[in-house]
Amino acid sequence: MKMLDITEAFHSSTLSPEVRHLADLFVCPASVGRRYLFGRNEHSAALAHSLEIDGFVDDFAPVAVWQGKSVVKGEDVPLNAIIVNCVFAIRPVSASKRIKELQTEGMLEYAELLAAFPERVPVPAFVSETRVDVQQNLAKWDRLMDSLADDESRQVFTDVMKYRLSGDVKHMKSNTFRPKDQYFEPFLSLPPGTVFVDAGGFDGDTTEEFCRRYPDYK
């Protein structure tokens, strides 16, 4: 699949009637008391400034009020709530699962609300920046795709790029949150005497994991 195919696949996406109905309910003034955003970050803050909401859902929040709205734990959300997943970094799939566990009246992904109301919902910066870069460097992105050696790598690349072009978490469903394994996938077999460079290391946790797995490093 070429990058052009990926961008065309995004532009041709449509919303189901059920999702469209939930999106309409979320922006309806009569839904006061039901409109919640999952996560406290730049995306939920921007959305809260664009649409009327009733609060934020954060299971670990140290505050009761944020951006002028109440912050509640998942178990304290009203059962008739409609919750929009605003988590993009690190664990968007886990956030979706958590919202479904709450069994409220409905949930929306941020990308679904964006597709329903593109004139009212801000496009996440990482999405708009990726779109511009792909448009300006399409040939380079295609060469990168062609350089990948196997179908699994090409599929991972395709999923990530679809996600970055749309912000739609459904493209990340096959991924899991395994921070200790992120540089040490099962297909990676390093021989004794390997030199490992932890470039941009924060607190050295990746180096520690490498040393544990490959004690005969150089």
Side-chain angles (χ1 to χ4, degrees), residues 3 6-7 10-11 123-138 141 157-167:
M3 284 301 301
I6 294 175
T7 56
F10 164 66
H11 289 304
V123 177
F126 80 92
V127 173
S128 58
E129 291 168 1
T130 302
R131 291 177 181 177
V132 170
D133 195 278
V134 168
Q135 289 174 344
Q136 294 178 346
N137 301 285
L138 187 58
W141 283 105
F157 177 82
T158 298
D159 291 344
V160 171
M161 291 310 299
K162 281 186 175 181
Y163 177 61
R164 293 192 66 84
L165 285 162
S166 66

Side-chain angles (χ1 to χ4, degrees), residues 32-48:
V32 62
R34 305 173 60 190
R35 305 159 300 185
Y36 284 82
L37 305 181
F38 192 89
R40 293 185 306 118
N41 52 43
E42 66 270 28
H43 311 296
S44 57
L47 190 53

Side-chain angles (χ1 to χ4, degrees), residues 29-68:
S31 293
V32 62
R34 305 173 60 190
R35 305 159 300 185
Y36 284 82
L37 305 181
F38 192 89
R40 293 185 306 118
N41 52 43
E42 66 270 28
H43 311 296
S44 57
L47 190 53
H49 282 88
S50 300
L51 299 175
E52 283 295 325
I53 69 161
D54 298 295
F56 300 90
V57 183
D58 187 338
D59 289 327
F60 309 100
V63 297
V65 177
W66 191 66
Q67 301 291 319

